[in-house]
Amino acid sequence: MDCERLPGGPPVPPVSWSGALSAAPDAADDPTHVPVTLDEAAEKATNAAGWVEQNWSTWLNTGLQIVLILVVALTLRMLVRKALTKLIDRMNRSAQAVEGTALGGLLVNAERRRQRSEAIGSVLRSVASFLILGTAGLMILGAFKIDLAPLLASAGVAGVAIGFGARNLVTDFLSGVFMILEDQYGVGDSIDAGVASGEVIEVGLRVTKLRGVDGEIWYVRNGEIKRIGNLSQGWATAAVDVTVRSTEDLDRVREVITEAAESMSKEEPWNERLWGPVEVLGLTEVLLDSMTVRVSAKTMPGKRLGVERELRWRIKRALDRAGIRIVGGIPAQADEPAKSDPTAGMSAPSVFSSPSSPQSAAATPLPKPEITK
């Protein structure tokens, strides 16, 4: 082989491939080097291809299972949510249809129904999504041949820890769910929740919002409500006590009160707010100078105070026209002229009025002694 000459330099001898291979470090000198022959490489490639050929069906089967689980879970979730939404819309439409009637305006509150239905729908949709997607996730993990026992045990321990740490939140949430499902109260109801009372303006899963009689807004946690007195469900009772003098004719008093009540029940808007006749129940208290007559009536929920005020107004005017005096607080004989007391100007008897008494003698000043020079 001819020598090559570099520009401006001496000639360079040709490179021999055999010399280069012989000049390379000997592989036997490297203890970590494992010579790989073409047969071994071919065997490894064949094994890998065989392993892929043996397992590709398993991979395809697992992938199809995962895709099928996801498709079924998402489809089922969508169908359940649509069904719940239609159910809630149907509830709202039925409430609106009843609200247009005369009786429906007294029994149905559209805002209350709307909030209650939305809260129930939200809870049901969340529970359905959790159950469906959670089950799908566990099925996917099972398709990967993952042991679910440790995972479920860890989830159980974590759930217990979270339950203890956030027990107030869990209590509030569960109480709110049962209050809404049982329809214990709703928007527009007047309730006594123990810790606060007023008109319900918002019902949530954790907090109930009330407006008090003075306009204040109370935020009451549902878990703190131990008892609920709903003043807006069913009907209410208006009770009025009329105290007259004990010398009045009871039959005459009953007649006058009954005429005033009948006149009130025939006028608007009291004919709608009174759900029954006004009844004179009888005497509740009899004293020496007065007696108390109890008057009662069944009213529309939430209208008890207004009916009681109007009843007092009309009964008082009717008794005045009949010449029957209402008493209370001031004794009945107070309107008679008081007689003068003859002993009012006399002083109490005293031992000092007798000069022979020991007290008078002790109180008599000593005589002034005479001093002689």
Side-chain angles (χ1 to χ4, degrees):
M1 188 176 290
D2 296 337
C3 295
E4 296 180 359
R5 179 182 299 272
L6 296 176
V12 179
V15 179
S16 174
W17 290 106
S18 60
L21 292 174
S22 62
D26 190 2
D29 297 337
D30 188 3
T32 61
H33 178 73
V34 178
V36 178
T37 62
L38 293 176
D39 295 337
E40 293 178 350
E43 183 179 359
K44 290 184 178 180
T46 303
N47 293 336
W51 181 75
V52 171
E53 184 179 0
Q54 292 176 0
N55 293 286
W56 75 270
S57 59
T58 304
W59 296 344
L60 180 60
N61 186 22
T62 303
L64 291 177
Q65 286 183 5
I66 294 173
V67 172
L68 181 62
I69 290 172
L70 290 176
V71 170
V72 172
L74 294 178
T75 304
L76 182 62
R77 177 176 177 270
M78 181 183 64
L79 294 177
V80 171
R81 291 176 67 90
K82 282 187 176 181
L84 292 175
T85 302
K86 289 183 179 180
L87 177 62
I88 299 305
D89 293 341
R90 183 178 301 176
M91 292 173 59
N92 291 333
R93 287 197 300 268
S94 61
Q96 293 175 1
V98 176
E99 187 181 9
T101 62
L103 184 60
L106 302 177
L107 301 179
V108 178
N109 187 315
E111 182 64 17
R112 169 181 176 173
R113 291 279 184 168
R114 185 188 65 80
Q115 287 200 11
R116 178 171 178 263
S117 59
E118 288 182 358
I120 294 175
S122 176
V123 172
L124 294 179
R125 283 192 290 266
S126 300
V127 171
S129 298
F130 177 78
L131 293 178
I132 294 173
L133 297 181
T135 305
L138 294 178
M139 293 177 66
I140 290 174
L141 294 178
F144 282 113
K145 307 301 181 181
I146 297 176
D147 189 8
L148 299 180
L151 180 62
L152 294 177
S154 302
V157 173
V160 172
I162 294 175
F164 277 107
R167 58 184 180 275
N168 291 333
L169 181 62
V170 175
T171 302
D172 296 340
F173 180 81
L174 293 178
S175 299
V177 170
F178 283 108
M179 286 178 183
I180 293 174
L181 292 178
E182 296 173 2
D183 195 18
Q184 297 179 6
Y185 57 83
V187 175
D189 288 352
S190 296
I191 67 171
D192 181 2
V195 294
S197 60
E199 182 182 354
V200 180
I201 58 178
E202 185 177 344
V203 179
L205 294 177
R206 193 181 69 87
V207 175
T208 296
K209 189 185 297 185
L210 305 176
R211 184 176 296 279
V213 293
D214 297 328
E216 71 277 11
I217 295 180
W218 298 95
Y219 295 87
V220 183
R221 288 172 41 207
N222 294 330
E224 293 182 350
I225 302 177
K226 304 302 180 184
R227 61 172 180 81
I228 298 174
N230 197 325
L231 309 179
S232 301
Q233 288 184 353
W235 44 268
T237 301
V240 175
D241 290 336
V242 182
T243 304
V244 297
R245 290 180 294 188
S246 59
T247 57
E248 298 291 345
D249 185 5
L250 286 176
D251 295 334
R252 177 60 177 164
V253 172
R254 180 192 294 270
E255 181 182 353
V256 172
I257 294 176
T258 302
E259 290 178 357
E262 290 179 354
S263 171
M264 175 181 172
S265 61
K266 296 177 182 178
E267 299 179 5
E268 294 184 355
W270 312 111
N271 55 354
E272 295 181 357
R273 298 180 182 179
L274 286 171
W275 284 11
V278 180
E279 301 178 355
V280 180
L281 300 181
L283 293 176
T284 59
E285 188 178 30
V286 178
L287 301 177
L288 293 177
D289 55 353
S290 64
M291 55 185 176
T292 304
V293 180
R294 172 68 58 88
V295 182
S296 176
K298 185 181 294 185
T299 68
M300 182 189 303
K303 303 299 181 181
R304 176 181 61 86
L305 294 178
V307 172
E308 288 180 353
R309 296 189 185 101
E310 185 67 18
L311 267 176
R312 292 190 187 97
W313 180 282
R314 292 175 178 265
I315 291 174
K316 174 63 170 64
R317 297 185 62 180
L319 293 178
D320 289 343
R321 289 193 299 265
I324 301 174
R325 178 79 176 271
I326 293 180
V327 298
I330 302 176
Q333 63 270 19
D335 55 351
E336 299 178 359
K339 299 179 181 180
S340 59
D341 188 1
T343 63
M346 299 175 60
S347 59
S350 174
V351 296
F352 293 99
S353 60
S354 177
S356 60
S357 64
Q359 290 80 0
S360 297
T364 302
L366 296 175
K368 187 176 182 182
E370 295 181 359
I371 301 176
T372 58
K373 294 183 180 180

